[in-house]
Amino acid sequence: MTGEYNIEIDSNDIGQVVIINDKDEVLLLLRSPDSHWAGDRWALPGGHIYYEENKKHGAARETFEETNLVCSNLKHFATQEIEDEQDKILFFYWTRDFKGDVELNFEHTDYKWINIDDLDSIDVVENVKSKLLDLFTIVRFNKRENSS
């Protein structure tokens, strides 16, 4: 079943994708209240990458499964190890290149495009806020450099 960890095909690698629209807003998804992880909290699209799957492609696949958005030109910006029963490794990507309209799967109940400055107004999953702040420092710096 899509959306649930399957030990036979899912690795402990997790791809998370920051999708940025033309207003510099980030797409966040509200996890279902009965979710096995982070119920009723806002998170990035993404999930477990299959064994033998390219990490970037896995992150894009998971994002499509959860949002119906086709993402391209993903750029890796952070990696984080989580020591727990699965010893997960999170791979964070970002993109401005996406097509489609958001259609949520059963794992989520809502979505919103949010300005990075408004993150304190919602209950965001641990580590997401710090990763978004790090990313936007890079993105805003690069934007200024490219416009000079």
Side-chain angles (χ1 to χ4, degrees):
M1 174 184 240
T2 301
E4 294 182 14
Y5 182 73
N6 182 338
I7 196 165
E8 294 178 13
I9 60 172
D10 290 336
S11 73
N12 291 342
D13 294 342
I14 296 173
Q16 302 276 284
V17 179
V18 179
I19 302 171
I20 306 171
N21 69 15
D22 57 359
K23 298 176 186 173
D24 280 345
E25 297 168 321
V26 173
L27 178 65
L28 292 179
L29 310 178
L30 184 62
R31 304 278 306 165
S32 173
D34 57 348
S35 175
H36 65 281
W37 172 79
D40 257 347
R41 298 187 72 197
W42 293 92
L44 295 169
H48 285 274
I49 298 168
Y50 296 152
Y51 290 109
E52 307 300 323
E53 184 176 34
N54 173 289
K55 290 173 183 34
K56 190 182 291 188
H57 292 181
R61 174 189 52 76
E62 277 286 342
T63 299
F64 177 75
E65 288 176 5
E66 294 182 0
T67 66
N68 198 47
L69 297 177
V70 177
C71 295
S72 57
N73 198 23
L74 272 62
K75 299 169 195 74
H76 179 259
F77 73 94
T79 301
Q80 179 180 2
E81 293 184 33
I82 306 281
E83 293 182 17
D84 62 8
E85 68 280 353
Q86 294 178 349
D87 289 331
K88 298 183 277 274
I89 302 176
L90 279 61
F91 296 89
F92 291 89
Y93 299 91
W94 73 277
T95 188
R96 290 181 178 276
D97 301 325
F98 62 94
K99 293 180 183 174
D101 296 317
V102 176
E103 293 179 28
L104 299 177
N105 71 359
F106 68 93
E107 294 178 78
H108 305 93
T109 58
D110 200 2
Y111 73 93
K112 67 169 60 179
W113 293 97
I114 188 164
N115 184 291
I116 196 76
D117 298 324
D118 296 329
L119 280 177
D120 287 334
S121 68
I122 61 173
D123 186 16
V124 182
V125 172
E126 300 88 12
N127 77 11
V128 168
K129 181 178 177 183
S130 65
K131 294 297 183 229
L132 288 174
L133 292 172
D134 292 346
L135 172 63
F136 267 74
T137 300
I138 296 165
V139 170
R140 286 178 177 161
F141 176 78
N142 288 340
K143 218 175 186 181
R144 282 194 302 269
E145 288 289 307
N146 291 334
S147 65
S148 298

